[in-house]
């Protein structure tokens, strides 16, 4: 009975899981449970949102086109709408407005359409701002030469209009995170067989960022609405275990649909954090690759522990049944096996996941 006690088997998994969770937390990666860690170990497909995840999320306004020639009035209306949005593009527009000393117009009854745009009411009536999807929804025309010059560029374009009339547009540019390229390379070295970047942005913009990150054109999916991301994550899940990495309200559904949802905790929205299984408390994307490597190492140690614990129990039980196994030796074998699997699991505490900078 002493030899057959399964203590070592029972403690094999918790010892490794808790050690890995602790090491990850010290490195700024929070798992919502051991299940997420174990699932992440088996992930071989990573899907990323672009803006605010692979890019810095701190975009800058690069061009302004006010069709009536009044840039200050145009920016005032646009900033009045975007004051109600937490999107990265809205923040860029607000910064540009403040830098020019323009006061945002008063806009009320604002509603947002995820991945499309935002609508509200000012003193003159309904007002909207958004991308080409919202332009199409409003049956507006963007064939003006000045607007086409923005469309032909590789920057994100935000239009402002009333009803079917476009008042103008701004071009906004974002940059890839400095750590994104190294993180993607590390994931591939960890055995990830497919990496996909998804974005609601136009394809020229997506291709520009993708080229900076070393992604092939077939690994880039552009012009995607939230429901498109969910559908694509589902399609990827049919070919393997998928992790989706995002930061915004638009990503919540895809985060929930993936086998493992990973949110950018430092700059992510509350909705994204609630929907995710893992939160990165840093903008250093290399910690994601570290967390994936740590999860895979924890999985290997769990298998080692189980193999050793079961093997030791079989040997002790066989000795007790067919040989004259002294009770003290059975106790030493039982307790010694338990201590060994715990110590093996505790090795994960020294895993060199990147620590937050002081």
């Amino acid at each position: 009975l002493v030899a057959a006690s399964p203590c070592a088997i029972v403690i094999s998994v918790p010892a490794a899981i808790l050690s890995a969770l602790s090491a990850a937390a010290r490195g700024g990666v929070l798992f919502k449970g051991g299940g997420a860690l174990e699932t992440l170990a088996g992930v071989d497909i990573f899907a990323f949102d672009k803006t605010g995840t692979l890019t810095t999320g701190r975009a800058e306004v690069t061009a302004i086109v006010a069709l009536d020639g009044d840039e200050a009035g145009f920016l005032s209306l646009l900033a009045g709408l975007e004051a109600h949005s937490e999107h990265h593009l809205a923040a860029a527009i607000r910064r540009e407005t403040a830098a020019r000393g323009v006061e945002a117009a008063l806009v009320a009854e604002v509603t947002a359409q995820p991945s499309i745009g935002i609508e509200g009411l000012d003193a003159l009536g309904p007002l909207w701002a958004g991308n080409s999807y919202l332009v199409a929804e409003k049956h507006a025309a963007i064939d003006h030469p000045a607007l086409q010059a923005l469309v032909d560029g590789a920057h994100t374009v935000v239009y402002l209009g009333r009803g079917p009339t476009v008042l103008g547009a701004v071009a906004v540019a974002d940059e890839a995170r400095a750590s994104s390229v190294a993180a993607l390379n590390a994931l591939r070295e960890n055995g990830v067989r497919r990496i996909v970047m998804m974005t609601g942005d136009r394809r020229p913009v997506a291709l520009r960022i993708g080229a900076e990150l070393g992604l092939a054109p077939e690994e880039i999916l552009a012009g995607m609405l939230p429901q498109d991301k969910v559908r694509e994550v589902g399609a990827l899940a049919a070919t393997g275990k998928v992790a989706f990495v995002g930061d915004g309200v638009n990503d919540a559904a895809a985060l929930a649909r993936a086998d493992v949802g990973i949110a950018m905790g430092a700059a992510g929205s509350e909705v994204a954090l609630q929907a995710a299984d893992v939160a990165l408390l840093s903008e250093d994307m290399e910690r994601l690759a570290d967390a994936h490597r740590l999860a895979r190492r924890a999985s290997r140690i769990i298998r080692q522990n189980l193999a050793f614990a079961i093997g030791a129990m079989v040997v002790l039980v066989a000795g007790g049944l067919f040989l004259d196994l002294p009770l003290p030796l059975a106790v030493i074998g039982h307790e010694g096996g338990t201590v060994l699997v715990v110590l093996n699991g505790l090795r994960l505490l020294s895993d060199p996941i990147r620590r937050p900078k002081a």
Side-chain angles (χ1 to χ4, degrees), residues 12-68:
S12 294
V13 176
I17 291 293
L18 293 176
S19 296
L21 292 179
S22 177
R26 292 204 309 272
V29 182
L30 296 184
F31 288 85
K32 290 187 178 179
L37 180 77
E38 292 183 273
T39 305
L40 182 61
V43 165
D44 58 355
I45 302 172
F46 271 82
F48 291 86
D49 171 56
K50 175 180 74 68
T51 306
T53 304
L54 290 174
T55 65
T56 62
R58 187 174 175 83
E60 298 294 338
V61 174
T62 58
I64 301 172
V65 173
L67 295 183
D68 63 357

Side-chain angles (χ1 to χ4, degrees), residues 9 20 36 44 50 81 201 206-207 209 223 245 320 329 332 336 350 354:
I9 297 175
D44 58 355
K50 175 180 74 68
L81 267 175
D201 230 328
L207 289 174
I209 296 296
V245 189
L329 185 60
I332 292 172
S350 62
R354 286 167 180 77

Side-chain angles (χ1 to χ4, degrees), residues 32 42 59 84 87 148 170 210 217 239 281 298:
K32 290 187 178 179
H84 301 268
H87 197 275
Q148 284 301 313
V170 297
T239 65
L281 303 184

Side-chain angles (χ1 to χ4, degrees), residues 48-60 87-89 156 173-181 184 197-199 201 205-206 208-213 215 245-247 264 267 282-285:
F48 291 86
D49 171 56
K50 175 180 74 68
T51 306
T53 304
L54 290 174
T55 65
T56 62
R58 187 174 175 83
E60 298 294 338
H87 197 275
H88 305 290
L89 299 181
T156 304
D174 200 358
E175 296 181 352
R177 291 187 190 276
S179 59
S180 291
V181 174
L184 297 182
M197 183 180 79
M198 302 181 186
T199 177
D201 230 328
V205 181
R208 176 177 65 82
I209 296 296
E212 294 178 16
L213 298 172
L215 296 174
V245 189
D247 75 315
M264 300 294 290
S282 167
E283 295 187 356
D284 182 0
M285 288 297 293

Side-chain angles (χ1 to χ4, degrees), residues 2 5 11 18 31 71 90 115 123 148 214 228 232 240-241 252 258 287:
V2 171
S5 181
I11 202 65
L18 293 176
F31 288 85
E71 286 191 1
S115 289
Q148 284 301 313
D228 298 325
E232 186 61 32
K241 284 192 176 181
R287 293 188 192 179

